[in-house]
Amino acid sequence: MESPTTREVAETWFEALTTGQIDRAIACLADDVEWINYTPVPGLNDIMPWIGTYHGVQAVMDSFLLFTSLVQVKREELVRLAVDGENAAGVIYELSTVKETGLDFEIEFIQWLTIRGGKIVRWKSYTDPSPIIVAMRGSSPSA
């Protein structure tokens, strides 16, 4: 049986992710996936405890669970998808609320996927985390 194409895996991943089907999304990941969700910078973005580099599906699940324990996603949608060979890049719009502060944040972020053998083997996220940090701190940028 032939493996799904890069585009098919990416489309499945983003559809599952943006519709809250976490189990279906996780099924797109290779067992030994490398998951890079920003680089923590002490005193700056480390207020987001779910960020960092993780390896393996269970570590990714733990990161998802930590994120959803702190943040309620209100809206998430795929804005754009580009596919080239084994790579796919999706631009995601997200509107979420930090549960502790009650503050919303809006971001667009890029998920860069490397797909081999019908599975995501590497995932990396790119965004300006400033809106998330402000909502996590519970204050305006000038406070």
Side-chain angles (χ1 to χ4, degrees), residues 7-8 11 13 15-17 21 27 37 40 55-56 71 76 80-81 84 88-89 91 93 106 113 120-121 130-131:
R7 178 170 296 280
E8 289 168 339
E11 287 174 348
W13 167 260
E15 179 187 352
L17 190 68
Q21 299 175 57
N37 196 3
H55 294 92
V71 174
E76 197 166 59
R80 193 170 301 118
L81 176 63
D84 183 26
V91 179
Y93 166 81
E106 281 184 279
L113 312 176
I120 298 168
V121 297
S130 300

Side-chain angles (χ1 to χ4, degrees), residues 67-75 94-99 104-105:
F67 175 75
T68 58
S69 74
L70 300 170
V71 174
Q72 178 187 0
V73 177
K74 292 181 169 181
R75 184 172 161 210
E94 179 182 323
L95 171 63
S96 292
T97 303
V98 174
K99 293 176 182 180
D104 289 345
F105 64 86

Side-chain angles (χ1 to χ4, degrees), residues 30-86:
D31 291 340
D32 60 348
V33 65
E34 179 181 31
W35 184 270
I36 307 164
N37 196 3
Y38 315 117
T39 300
V41 178
L44 183 61
N45 66 1
D46 60 347
I47 195 169
M48 303 181 305
W50 61 86
I51 67 172
T53 299
Y54 303 97
H55 294 92
V57 172
Q58 186 58 55
V60 172
M61 275 300 299
D62 293 345
S63 175
F64 265 126
L65 292 172
L66 181 55
F67 175 75
T68 58
S69 74
L70 300 170
V71 174
Q72 178 187 0
V73 177
K74 292 181 169 181
R75 184 172 161 210
E76 197 166 59
E77 66 183 61
L78 179 64
V79 175
R80 193 170 301 118
L81 176 63
V83 177
D84 183 26
E86 66 180 13

